[in-house]
Amino acid sequence: MSVDPHVYGAGGLGQGKRPHGCVLTIFGASGDLTRRKLIPALYNLALERRLPERFAVIGYARSEMTHEVFRSKMREAVSQFSRTGLKDESVWNDFAANLYFIPGSYDESNGYRQLQDFVGGFDRGSRVPPIRVFYLALPPDLYAPVIEQLAAIGLAAKENARDGRTRVVIEKPFGTDLETARELNRRVHEVLDENQVYRIDHYLGKETVQNIMVFRFANAVFEPIWNRRYVDHVQITAAESVGVENRGGYYEDAGVVRDMFQNHLLQLFCLTAMEPPVAFSADAVRDEKGKLLRSVRPIFVDDVARIAVRGQYGPGKFAGNEVKGYRQEPGVANGSNTETYAAIKLFIDNWRWEGVPFYLRSGKRMAKRVSEIAIQFKRPPLLLFRSCAVDDVNPNVLVVRIQPDEGISLTFEVKPPGPDICVSPLSLDFNYEEGFGSAPPEAYETLLEDCIEGDSTLFTRHDWVESAWSLMDPIIQAWRRTAPKDFPNYEAGSWGPKEADEFMQRDGRRWRRP
Ligand code: BG6
């Protein structure tokens, strides 16, 4: 199947307007995120002519570096990490000519003065006031201090207007629990209006994740069955084959609930289950996501053992190689009790979803890297197929494959050729690459473009972050209160702990093995 390419490829939901000029400052420019994601994404936007006509990037970090050294490091980063490699030397040269570096500290004023001079100079060379984006690719304890320094030097202030020109992008994690998230929101809002704040969740920039809304609300056939009358349950999986790699220090405190559930999994959950928004605008979409989270049946610390399972990977094998257990990873304590796997069952107390369980699971070092949303429909009445074993009649499953092998499939039962009336599953399959002739763009391309254009639909609003923490906090607290008895309880390269399978069996269901 092929698709009209003209409708594909633009950033986000296309609500924003490309400004004439933009200066984007990356705080944390010597870090991994800048090298692996941000600069390669900006280069690809340049390649596709999706950046403003006047555009400059300033890398800001503590290390001393000349513009030239920064440019050559970023050139290497693009060759290594951009999805197109360094495809076009002349595009790179134009891009690099507008790439600068300013050394400075984050929580003291030195460096900010130079930044102010640069940004002011860029303004003077523009016909219309350019957009200013400040990207905080920093450890979370620096978010508020940097915003406060920007305010002190006059580079950030409240702009009530929707089309204000100063925007601040804040990476995850936004707080470590409800209290810290509230405090951070409070400090951010002392300097900025909410419409200037772009809290990033890179899952929302994935093409397949954006497609959930289009698929649900642009097709009339699915909406009538998207509810408790037809859906048996939903499974949302984000399985990773990698371990914690070199992030042991961060992960020890975070664990899988903070790292994956409070943000990415709950976002997927909201897009799957929310009501249709009144418009495809930032606030309308985010209002619906907020309402959905507020309809989730609250979790109490004492319930956690019933509705959630935790796990930690031990040594095992992946792709034929021996791999370390979590406790053997660098930066991880020998007797660590941090969870690297969790499965959580949520119920939504609203008219559409009453009684339908949503099972969310995520883990590191699992058998396969796969993220998907599977809507399993109820079984049909079986009277007609008595000669088949019950298990042979599979329920219909609609799967949105987030990654890899991005696409959507719907399984249904057919009669295989032959004299007997029996049933066998087949699927209708849509694959992005086949459909559109190319792999989807990187999430950071979409999100950076949206931010430059002032479209915050795919960014997280302050109330959502707080609701997400208040849902997840009791689980984190319950697991801190009682140490696990059996960690590590799943082998690296497996599908998670056996308790997770038993957890599903108790509900008469089983996990998919995508
Ligand atoms: C990040 C987490 O937010 O998402 C990582 O901090 C995780 O631990 C990553 O590996 C997964 O992202 P993706 O796009 O590879 O699924």
Side-chain angles (χ1 to χ4, degrees):
M1 184 172 83
S2 73
V3 185
D4 179 359
H6 295 107
V7 296
Y8 176 62
L13 298 172
Q15 314 289 317
K17 199 165 142 269
R18 186 169 307 159
H20 174 70
C22 171
V23 53
L24 188 152
T25 307
I26 303 175
F27 287 97
S30 54
D32 247 20
L33 185 69
T34 305
R35 205 165 59 90
R36 287 173 179 264
K37 299 287 183 191
L38 303 181
I39 296 290
L42 290 169
Y43 165 75
N44 280 318
L45 289 175
L47 193 66
E48 293 177 4
R49 316 232 167 274
R50 284 158 56 191
L51 288 177
E53 219 173 297
R54 277 200 84 221
F55 187 69
V57 179
I58 307 169
Y60 186 107
R62 274 189 288 239
S63 30
E64 286 287 339
M65 219 185 304
T66 61
H67 301 313
E68 275 319 315
V69 172
F70 184 57
R71 286 173 191 151
S72 94
K73 281 182 192 266
M74 294 305 109
R75 185 179 200 284
E76 234 169 79
V78 169
S79 316
Q80 194 179 349
F81 297 112
S82 136
R83 68 185 162 90
T84 57
L86 205 155
K87 194 176 167 191
D88 188 325
E89 202 59 52
S90 77
V91 169
W92 169 256
N93 290 338
D94 289 349
F95 180 77
N98 293 303
L99 194 55
Y100 303 90
F101 184 80
I102 296 179
S105 69
Y106 296 117
D107 46 5
E108 288 164 27
S109 61
N110 75 48
Y112 287 89
R113 207 159 296 284
Q114 215 183 325
L115 181 63
Q116 188 196 32
D117 288 347
F118 186 96
V119 172
F122 191 84
D123 274 12
R124 284 190 290 281
S126 303
R127 274 191 286 117
V128 271
I131 300 296
R132 297 165 170 181
V133 175
F134 298 100
Y135 197 116
L136 311 189
L138 292 169
D141 54 331
L142 289 171
Y143 299 157
V146 168
I147 293 174
E148 285 156 5
Q149 290 292 341
L150 286 171
I153 199 110
L155 281 172
K158 285 187 194 265
E159 293 167 356
N160 280 310
R162 272 254 154 257
D163 55 354
R165 67 172 181 131
T166 309
R167 295 163 197 164
V168 176
V169 185
I170 305 181
E171 266 293 333
K172 69 172 266 278
F174 195 93
T176 51
D177 56 15
L178 176 59
E179 206 180 310
T180 50
R182 267 195 189 142
E183 173 58 13
L184 184 53
N185 272 331
R186 190 192 62 73
R187 286 178 75 179
V188 170
H189 287 155
E190 274 186 2
V191 174
L192 301 163
D193 274 320
E194 178 60 23
N195 62 36
Q196 298 171 268
V197 185
Y198 288 68
R199 294 174 197 78
I200 213 161
D201 181 320
H202 78 280
Y203 262 60
L204 291 179
K206 291 182 192 276
E207 198 63 37
T208 34
V209 173
Q210 293 168 63
N211 195 32
I212 300 169
M213 270 194 286
V214 176
F215 180 80
R216 282 190 60 194
F217 304 130
N219 294 294
V221 289
F222 299 106
E223 186 52 24
I225 55 171
W226 208 264
N227 56 46
R228 71 190 141 83
R229 278 185 291 283
Y230 296 93
V231 175
D232 177 74
H233 74 279
V234 177
Q235 292 188 24
I236 301 181
T237 301
E240 296 189 82
S241 54
V242 291
V244 285
E245 302 185 292
N246 53 3
R247 296 164 71 224
Y250 149 78
Y251 201 85
E252 276 284 86
D253 287 331
V256 69
V257 177
R258 289 193 174 104
D259 190 49
M260 294 293 289
F261 281 75
Q262 185 274 340
N263 34 65
H264 311 324
L265 272 95
L266 285 184
Q267 289 285 3
L268 297 181
F269 167 72
C270 283
L271 291 171
T272 309
M274 72 186 197
E275 293 301 313
V278 291
F280 251 9
S281 68
D283 274 333
V285 170
R286 298 187 303 179
D287 284 347
E288 291 309 329
K289 290 204 285 189
K291 271 196 238 163
L292 197 266
L293 277 197
R294 292 198 301 277
S295 328
V296 175
R297 191 174 301 166
I299 297 169
F300 298 100
V301 173
D302 292 342
D303 296 336
V304 171
R306 267 190 316 106
I307 58 107
V309 174
R310 58 181 151 169
Q312 184 192 76
Y313 64 89
K317 273 199 164 171
F318 187 78
N321 299 319
E322 306 278 337
V323 293
K324 286 183 199 153
Y326 177 69
R327 290 176 178 182
Q328 288 76 51
E329 301 276 16
V332 172
N334 281 337
S336 169
N337 282 332
T338 299
E339 317 79 30
T340 62
Y341 172 99
I344 299 173
K345 175 164 62 168
L346 298 177
F347 283 101
I348 303 167
D349 289 335
N350 68 11
W351 275 50
R352 185 188 287 268
W353 293 118
E354 183 59 34
V356 178
F358 282 70
Y359 299 96
L360 278 54
R361 68 175 160 163
S362 178
K364 295 229 178 254
R365 275 281 181 239
M366 293 184 65
K368 207 171 165 185
R369 172 177 182 252
V370 55
S371 297
E372 60 159 45
I373 299 163
I375 320 281
Q376 179 157 330
F377 293 93
K378 292 187 174 167
R379 279 179 197 284
L382 299 174
L383 292 177
L384 289 175
F385 303 106
R386 283 214 176 109
S387 57
C388 302
V390 170
D391 272 355
D392 287 343
V393 181
N394 298 288
N396 301 114
V397 186
L398 178 78
V399 182
V400 179
R401 294 190 305 272
I402 310 289
Q403 64 187 26
D405 187 25
E406 291 83 357
I408 298 174
S409 68
L410 175 66
T411 61
F412 53 92
E413 299 289 284
V414 294
K415 177 191 165 302
D420 297 329
I421 295 281
C422 230
V423 289
S424 167
L426 271 184
S427 73
L428 271 176
D429 215 19
F430 154 67
N431 174 290
Y432 258 81
E433 207 158 341
E434 276 172 25
F436 294 109
S438 65
E442 276 274 323
Y444 277 95
E445 293 170 32
T446 306
L447 295 173
L448 283 165
E449 185 178 20
D450 280 4
C451 173
I452 292 167
E453 296 185 355
D455 178 2
S456 54
T457 314
L458 300 178
F459 294 81
T460 308
R461 209 167 57 185
H462 65 108
D463 51 330
W464 192 95
V465 183
E466 293 181 13
S467 302
W469 279 122
S470 56
L471 254 183
M472 293 294 111
D473 273 359
I475 300 177
I476 298 169
Q477 281 163 18
W479 286 348
R480 288 295 157 273
R481 217 172 270 180
T482 6
K485 293 195 193 74
D486 55 351
F487 273 13
N489 61 352
Y490 70 99
E491 262 180 41
S494 71
W495 274 106
K498 73 174 189 332
E499 290 84 339
D501 293 332
E502 292 161 3
F503 170 75
M504 281 299 247
Q505 278 155 18
R506 281 199 295 278
D507 286 0
R509 302 188 171 99
R510 53 174 184 251
W511 291 113
R512 290 168 43 76
R513 294 271 186 267

